[in-house]
Amino acid sequence: AMKKKAGSHQEGIFSPAVYIAKTILGEDELNKVRAKAISLHSDVIKSFVETVDSSFGQRALVDMFKVADKNGDGKLDNDEVREALHSLGFSWLKEKQVAGILKRADQDKNGVIDYQEFVSEAPKTLKTNLVKLAKKNGGELGFLV
């Protein structure tokens, strides 16, 4: 009953519980429950990112910028942006995607991101990639078998 299909999802620590739930609920019902859980989790991530306008959100952006700005010059170059994104776990972002994020954020086209440009771009980049990270982590934990 637990055959692995070609291209199926990764086994993980939660796989046994998922198999039991699939047996009890049936695959269709389990998929509905799983879709609802994923949707709720995505909403939580999006709501968290939307706190950017609060004092907490502003403080978080200041801190993120300071951590990313390795050389302390008040600007983020390509290497600093890539390192910051990878340190957040966004390992799937390759050079081309990092360059695209930098280009989109660099409103004055000087090749670096200043703090105001960072504040404008960070919420969009975070929201998109935190949802991807959650999906990746869920797969690695075996929730998607």
Side-chain angles (χ1 to χ4, degrees):
M2 290 195 216
K3 288 181 194 162
K4 203 135 161 69
K5 292 178 269 181
S8 65
H9 293 285
Q10 179 176 336
E11 296 275 336
I13 192 168
F14 289 101
S15 297
V18 173
Y19 288 126
I20 291 168
K22 196 179 287 188
T23 301
I24 295 169
L25 298 173
E27 192 154 356
D28 288 346
E29 194 60 31
L30 175 65
N31 285 342
K32 288 178 192 170
V33 170
R34 192 168 22 209
K36 182 68 176 166
I38 290 168
S39 174
L40 289 170
H41 192 236
S42 295
D43 289 347
V44 167
I45 291 168
K46 290 171 185 169
S47 295
F48 169 72
V49 171
E50 288 166 7
T51 66
V52 71
D53 294 328
S54 70
S55 58
F56 167 78
Q58 291 299 307
R59 184 73 212 152
L61 286 174
V62 166
D63 291 344
M64 286 175 66
F65 189 84
K66 283 181 182 173
V67 169
D69 185 15
K70 298 284 188 207
N71 64 7
D73 67 356
K75 301 182 272 308
L76 304 180
D77 62 26
N78 189 72
D79 290 342
E80 289 170 324
V81 170
R82 184 184 63 251
E83 285 179 34
L85 291 168
H86 286 185
S87 73
L88 289 170
F90 306 159
S91 56
W92 54 86
L93 291 173
K94 303 300 178 218
E95 201 56 52
K96 183 178 179 182
Q97 287 96 342
V98 173
I101 291 167
L102 184 81
K103 183 177 180 183
R104 189 172 61 234
D106 183 17
Q107 295 163 0
D108 61 11
K109 306 298 176 212
N110 65 347
V112 292
I113 300 174
D114 62 36
Y115 180 71
Q116 280 314 117
E117 292 168 332
F118 175 79
V119 168
S120 296
E121 179 61 29
K124 180 179 190 290
T125 298
L126 284 172
K127 184 165 51 174
T128 301
N129 289 288
L130 284 170
V131 170
K132 283 184 184 176
L133 182 63
K135 185 175 181 182
K136 176 180 177 283
N137 290 345
E140 288 174 358
L141 290 171
F143 282 119
L144 304 176
V145 292

